[in-house]
Amino acid sequence: MAVAVVALGTFLLVTAEQLPIGLLTSVGSALSISEGTAGLMVTVPSIVAAFAAPLVPMLVGSMDRRILLLGLMALMTAANLASALAPNFAVLVGSRVLVGIAIGGFWAVASGLAVRLVAPADVPRATAVIFGGVGAANVFGVPLGTLVGDLTGWRIAFSSLSALALVTLIALLAVLPGLAASQVIRPKLLMEQFRNPGVRVGIIATVLIVFGHFAAYTFVSPALQKLSGIDERYVGPLLFGFGVAGMIGNFVAGSALSRRVHRSVLIISVALAIAMPLFLLLGQSKVSGAILLIVWGLSYGGVSVGLQTWMIKAAPQAVEAASSLWVAVFNLSIGLGALVGGVIVDTLTLQGVLWLGGACALLAALAIRTARANDALR
């Protein structure tokens, strides 16, 4: 039950972070800003989360992780309510800073929590369940939030997030056991992780894959409309399909990772290197655009569980420290990817972000392949 509730927490985190992707057009129209500027709703919390991931565990020291998770979920509840009530874009972005703190701190603990909640043999499966919240957010959270925003307004969508955070807080309070800090995170311990070749490659792969994906995916709504000719009304349902594919990819990857971590992560990165450029090359019709979006979702679905499992295997004696670094670079890559994507979309071309995403995934695949050759991760 504790694993399931942590999965609910990951569902909320990803929904909160990515929901603005489906609301870019409506928020931009309501607050008179460009789509690129509206992308800051994704960029800001992601960059803040990147810094919060290592800083929050360091600042709280030996605090019981159960208390920490409860406090962060309370912050998430308040922050999304502030987003719903924001009178202008500046206040909305300010509320997203608080969302970023909650995301970074929660992820830093939750991403490696499976090793403390289940027996060692069940860790890959439990990790897949926890990261199943990521796919579920894409299946239900972001599409339904987008649908709510389309039908009732984007403020109601953010209000719904606040209500979900409150439900998650209550569930965590009810079932999560006490979680005494396994290690006190210090800057020295974090820096020591970079001496581990497996951790280094995992971080490089994370930066490249996540940066490239979000440079493109942040603007998937205008891409579907402008490149594939899909009406705005169908964007929400297609994001639902993307999420379903992502959930399938997550659990397929979770099963494969229990046998071969390196090969599984390599396959994921190669699939992404193919999927994003193919969307640009072959997704010029409504049908082909929709099909390639599903292929993209299936490929990306295994990224979170794959890379987190890589980090657990690479640093079994310092899971929380390695996970903090991984969460930091993951979220920083989301923010920078969305930011660079916004610049490319506003100043160059929408097609450019898809080429960038494919190129980054290809570089990640090369890094992972090199790691195998150097026995960085067995």
Side-chain angles (χ1 to χ4, degrees):
M1 184 60 71
V3 170
V5 172
V6 174
L8 176 62
T10 63
F11 169 83
L12 171 67
L13 295 176
V14 176
T15 300
E17 189 166 31
Q18 298 185 21
L19 177 60
I21 292 173
L23 302 176
L24 287 183
T25 302
S26 58
V27 172
S29 177
L31 300 181
S32 301
I33 55 175
S34 70
E35 290 176 340
T37 300
L40 289 173
M41 291 187 293
V42 179
T43 301
V44 169
S46 299
I47 292 177
V48 171
F51 289 97
L55 286 177
V56 168
M58 283 194 292
L59 291 174
V60 300
S62 59
M63 176 187 289
D64 187 303
R65 284 352 189 200
R66 177 178 184 269
I67 296 175
L68 174 60
L69 293 176
L70 292 173
L72 291 168
M73 195 53 62
L75 177 62
M76 178 68 81
T77 303
N80 281 296
L81 181 60
S83 296
L85 299 175
N88 53 54
F89 189 66
V91 174
L92 178 56
V93 170
S95 70
R96 298 291 290 171
V97 171
L98 300 180
V99 169
I101 294 172
I103 290 172
F106 196 100
W107 265 117
V109 178
S111 61
L113 207 55
V115 298
R116 304 187 62 186
L117 296 177
V118 300
D122 295 325
V123 168
R125 185 173 60 178
T127 301
V129 171
I130 289 174
F131 283 97
V134 176
N138 289 313
V139 171
F140 300 109
V142 176
L144 290 178
T146 301
L147 182 61
V148 168
D150 289 341
L151 296 177
T152 64
W154 59 270
R155 294 184 186 276
I156 300 300
F158 282 117
S159 297
S160 300
L161 274 181
S162 181
L164 177 60
L166 181 60
V167 170
T168 306
L169 172 61
I170 294 170
L172 288 169
L173 182 62
V175 305
L176 200 63
L179 297 166
S182 57
Q183 287 180 312
V184 176
I185 306 300
R186 302 293 185 209
K188 181 180 179 180
L189 180 61
L190 291 175
M191 293 301 102
E192 286 176 353
Q193 302 310 306
F194 289 103
R195 299 176 186 174
N196 183 326
V199 170
R200 287 200 305 269
V201 172
I203 288 176
I204 291 170
T206 298
V207 169
L208 289 168
I209 291 174
V210 178
F211 174 88
H213 169 77
F214 278 93
Y217 183 68
T218 299
F219 302 96
V220 69
S221 177
L224 288 170
Q225 295 174 58
K226 297 176 182 178
L227 300 181
S228 300
I230 294 172
D231 191 275
E232 183 180 356
R233 295 174 298 171
Y234 302 111
V235 170
L238 284 174
L239 291 180
F240 179 86
F242 181 96
V244 170
M247 285 194 71
I248 295 171
N250 173 78
F251 287 103
V252 169
S255 176
L257 287 161
S258 64
R259 299 186 297 272
R260 296 286 296 274
V261 174
H262 174 270
R263 182 176 62 183
S264 300
V265 177
L266 180 61
I267 290 172
I268 290 167
S269 60
V270 170
L272 283 169
I274 295 172
M276 283 182 269
L278 272 184
F279 184 89
L280 180 61
L281 296 173
L282 303 178
Q284 302 301 312
S285 70
K286 295 179 177 65
V287 173
S288 62
I291 291 173
L292 288 170
L293 181 69
I294 300 306
V295 173
W296 183 359
L298 183 65
S299 304
Y300 187 74
V303 167
S304 296
V305 64
L307 292 172
Q308 175 58 32
T309 301
W310 179 291
M311 298 299 283
I312 291 173
K313 295 289 187 180
Q317 304 303 317
V319 171
E320 188 169 308
S323 295
S324 296
L325 287 176
W326 178 74
V327 172
V329 299
F330 197 106
N331 282 281
L332 183 61
S333 300
I334 291 174
L336 292 178
L339 179 63
V340 171
V343 172
I344 292 174
V345 168
D346 280 351
T347 62
L348 297 174
T349 173
L350 183 61
Q351 290 89 334
V353 294
L354 291 163
W355 285 116
L356 176 62
C360 288
L362 179 60
L363 290 175
L366 294 175
I368 293 164
R369 179 68 177 176
T370 301
R372 182 61 174 177
N374 293 330
D375 291 327
L377 185 71
R378 296 181 183 276

